[in-house]
Amino acid sequence: MASKQSKHQAATGSQSKDGIRKPVRLTILAIIYTLFLAAAIAFHAQEGVQRLMEDPARICIWSLCFLLCLIYYKKRSSYRVAAEHTVLPPLTVILLATGYFPDVAMFLIIVTIITSIINARSLKIGILRAGTTLAPIPLIKILFANTSHVLSIIISQDSVNAAINPYQFQHWLLPLLIMTVAVPIIRLICDIVTFFFAQIPIRKAMHEYSLSHILAMALADLMAIVWIPEILEFANIGSDTATVLSVFMLALIAYSLLLMTVDTMSRLTRSRSALKCIANVSDALPLPNQVPEGTVVRRINRGLTHMRCFVSDAKNLDKRGYSYRYSAPIFTGSRRYYLAMERSIWNRPFTSTDETILLTCGEVLAESLRVNKEVTLLRTESETDTLTGALTYRAFIGHLKSLQTENVHNLVAVVYFGVEHLRTVNEHYGRKIGNAVLRSVGMRLSQLLPGNATLSRVNGAEFAMIVTNVTSTSDVEELATRMRNLAVMPVYTEEGEVSVDVSSSISFSNATDGFSVLLADASAHIYESESSNLPVVDGMTSTLAAQNGSGDYFNASDVLRHAIEDNTISVLYQPIFDVNTKRITSLDTIVRVHDAKGRTLAPYS
């Protein structure tokens, strides 16, 4: 996103602080470049028009060859106003070496302007690029003023053995080396001038260049020109300038097509890396609730080379010698951060595929955070009792089972708090006051809840507290006493002061039975609560509703008889503690009966 904004600002001259100077200054620079190009065309117009009148067909063919050579272009920077790498330096050297530069210079300049405008899709930016591209030509012309003489020596069959001599090095190889270094420097200076007029920060703009790419392309141009005499010698075409120029043009077209092929393959490789990064992030879905951005960053870095992706809280990183790209802002509560991509100026430049990686993976991360937030909210709502704010019985059982699978050696205690006489309060004051009392009891129990404990409402008038990592049973007993003493304090309601009693009992897991005792206690409590709501005849529950939702009823005596025959009766012994003396005063015996369908008979039926 940041690169798109910078490109748009550089290309169109969007408003800066003053809102007016930026487009005006860039337009002034474009006018200067236009005058420079017009002067260059006028300087070579006479010879060019004369050549066109003498041989228009050949001029048209050469202009078409120029166009084919200049079709290849490679971005040197992410800013649109920056110059591009083309095959113009070797093309200029070839024209100078064959002595045809004055005749076709006008057409070369015109073709360069046309291709620059077409590639930039903007008249102003095209003029700026054309001027920067053609700026090194005067230097090249000076360096190769006597090249035609050394060229005749190189292609002469009588002097093949003398090809490498001091004269050749001085008038051919040395100018080539100077041109290889000078051309990128001149274009860089022109870019700096353009950045200054476009009000683009120079330091930030310099970070967008890839020095390894610039050096590699300059070396490729140098090698293409050095092999020109070898091509002439292999072709055995003599020193006829027209024939030599045709061979040069064909070789240069092949060179430009080779560069286009290499660039296309490089882009395909980059696109493949982008798809690999996005696929790696997709394979990680759903992202974890904790630190999902870390997972995305690791997956992106698996598919990237010579770049690094990380999480940044700021969008204005300015580390010396590095360039950055950012995703859209990602929000997690009060925090806002970005996915950032970093590369050094020696590494490959950023491309649109890199921005696609950040854009797509940033959207995946933002969507995952939104989904995780909604799922967490729904899970919290489904597992939270709306009246008291405590967890539900289902969450209570799920927590116990998860503890059983996670660590069987973890000493866990479950404390049950039963609100006594709540039915009497409902009958005397109404259910509204009863709910207020129950809510108050739940809030008081939660006030003393330690960090390693959770509170659940397991049935209408009973709460259960799970305490993990218990180090001392006496500490749990003391905590239960304090919580119970706080819960039994009078509740002030609109009907006056209401008091209820709260009973408590404690169950501990042990090394022998593990969590089976705790799960059995939990089942006993819930089934006891459900059986209390069934019809009672002569003090005994006569029938029980089936648990499979079918709505049928079964007779308790029949179930008991079949249980005795099938030996499916289990007896649960629950100790009764005296919190004052901290001793077991008695044992409560609970008989559990299961029928063939897995349904449980109420313990006291």
Side-chain angles (χ1 to χ4, degrees), residues 223-335:
M223 297 302 296
I225 301 173
V226 168
W227 279 92
I228 289 176
E230 301 297 332
I231 295 174
L232 291 175
E233 181 182 351
F234 177 78
N236 193 19
I237 59 176
S239 58
D240 179 65
T241 53
T243 307
V244 171
L245 179 59
S246 300
V247 175
F248 282 171
M249 293 301 300
L250 292 176
L252 201 57
I253 291 174
Y255 172 64
S256 61
L257 293 177
L258 177 63
L259 293 182
M260 291 179 62
T261 303
V262 173
D263 182 60
T264 302
M265 297 300 296
S266 175
R267 290 180 179 273
L268 290 176
T269 303
R270 298 285 292 274
S271 299
R272 181 181 179 183
S273 299
L275 292 176
K276 183 178 180 181
C277 291
I278 297 173
N280 288 338
V281 174
S282 300
D283 291 341
L285 296 177
L287 297 176
N289 292 331
Q290 299 295 328
V291 198
E293 60 274 10
T295 301
V296 173
V297 166
R298 288 194 301 271
R299 296 283 179 152
I300 292 177
N301 286 326
R302 287 184 186 179
L304 289 179
T305 57
H306 308 299
M307 289 188 185
R308 183 174 71 95
C309 183
F310 60 96
V311 175
S312 174
D313 292 330
K315 199 179 179 180
N316 55 351
L317 299 178
D318 193 19
K319 185 178 179 181
R320 184 181 297 274
Y322 288 86
S323 181
Y324 299 91
R325 290 292 183 272
Y326 305 92
S327 67
I330 302 170
F331 298 91
T332 54
S334 59
R335 182 192 176 194

Side-chain angles (χ1 to χ4, degrees), residues 527-528 530-532 534 541 544 591-593 600-605:
Y527 284 119
E528 180 181 0
E530 290 180 352
S531 63
S532 63
L534 295 175
T541 304
L544 296 175
V591 180
R592 301 187 63 194
V593 179
T600 303
L601 188 68
Y604 300 103
S605 61

